[in-house]
Amino acid sequence: MLGYGPGRILLRLALTAIVAAVAWFTVGKSTLDKINDSNTRAGGGGPLNERIVSARRFTPIVARLRRQVGSEAQLVAVTLRPDSVEFEVVEGGRARGYRYRDGREGLETYDVGGTGQAGRPSNGPWRMSLLDPRAPERITRAISRAEHGDFHLSIGDIQRADSGKLVWIMRGTIGERGVAYYAPPRGSPIKPYDPSKPDLSKGAALGDCIRRAQNDVAKVQRCVARYAH
């Protein structure tokens, strides 16, 4: 027995510290590293080719959806988060949601539309062939270059803007600073997000069209017909 003398107590404390240190380096540090890595990924970080925005990750998710719904289905919106992807799909005139989550097999389904509007699309549908699985990575890399830092996605989506144009809008952080950019379906070129721009706003697009018409009545009428409805 070690006994209860001061020397014995110090020895027990030293042994306890040694055991704790060994446990930390063999188990605790690994666990902490996993927690930190999980938190980084949840915040949109980690190695780029392991993020949901990478072509390596996003392409097979899109392929899985295409196999499940077929090539005739249309998309309404695609929403990316660091650990999930949501697709709003129109099949036979009815909208339905499909969701991918990290760590789960297959795609979950969910209802689209509020009370009394079940299955009603939330926006104008578009061809699935317009969804480029490489676009989110292109946008991520371009934002990182433009902002001189590592862009971490918070949320991104592709759907029709108020102007009717199909656009990606990617929101996230560079360090502690929030940033947002938009881009056409292929992911290039990127522009700082501003909802008042003609690309995104029907009203701004109408005003821009009328200015370019230069008082030509026929052209002004075409502008109104195109954007005023």
Side-chain angles (χ1 to χ4, degrees):
M1 297 179 60
L2 293 175
Y4 295 95
R8 303 293 187 179
I9 293 175
L10 289 174
L11 179 58
R12 285 202 300 274
L13 291 174
L15 289 173
T16 300
I18 292 170
V19 171
V22 171
W24 163 253
F25 284 107
T26 57
V27 179
K29 188 174 184 300
S30 174
T31 300
L32 183 61
D33 287 344
K34 289 179 181 178
I35 292 172
N36 288 337
D37 183 61
S38 177
N39 289 339
T40 298
R41 292 173 191 274
L48 181 56
N49 68 350
E50 296 179 10
R51 301 180 198 177
I52 205 82
V53 296
S54 71
R56 175 179 173 271
R57 292 284 316 281
F58 191 45
T59 299
I61 297 171
V62 172
R64 184 181 299 178
L65 176 74
R66 285 175 171 153
R67 288 194 300 270
Q68 188 158 336
V69 303
S71 59
E72 298 302 315
Q74 292 182 301
L75 290 167
V76 175
V78 180
T79 303
L80 277 71
R81 295 180 177 83
D83 60 354
S84 68
V85 184
E86 292 179 354
F87 303 92
E88 185 178 338
V89 180
V90 174
E91 303 170 80
R94 187 176 178 84
R96 190 178 191 187
Y98 293 83
R99 180 184 292 114
Y100 165 85
R101 291 185 188 275
D102 276 349
R104 298 190 183 182
E105 293 293 330
L107 298 172
E108 305 169 351
T109 59
Y110 62 92
D111 293 332
V112 170
T115 304
Q117 296 182 327
R120 181 177 178 179
S122 62
N123 205 334
W126 39 279
R127 300 190 314 276
M128 191 176 294
S129 60
L130 295 174
L131 178 60
D132 186 342
R134 299 163 296 180
E137 181 173 334
R138 286 195 189 106
I139 298 170
T140 296
R141 291 184 182 276
I143 295 174
S144 296
R145 288 193 298 269
E147 295 288 341
H148 307 290
D150 187 13
F151 174 70
H152 289 186
L153 175 74
S154 296
I155 186 169
D157 62 59
I158 178 172
Q159 61 180 313
R160 293 196 185 279
D162 179 62
S163 64
K165 289 187 176 182
L166 185 63
V167 295
W168 279 100
I169 299 175
M170 302 285 272
R171 302 172 179 87
T173 58
I174 298 285
E176 299 298 321
R177 180 167 51 88
V179 298
Y181 281 78
Y182 73 98
R186 71 177 302 274
S188 178
I190 64 166
K191 297 178 182 179
Y193 176 69
D194 180 348
S196 67
K197 292 291 186 182
D199 281 344
L200 305 176
S201 166
K202 184 184 294 185
L206 173 59
D208 187 61
C209 185
I210 290 174
R211 282 192 299 272
R212 286 186 283 106
Q214 297 181 339
N215 297 321
D216 184 311
V217 175
K219 289 182 179 179
V220 170
Q221 289 176 337
R222 285 197 293 270
C223 289
V224 173
R226 180 177 181 184
Y227 293 110
H229 301 290

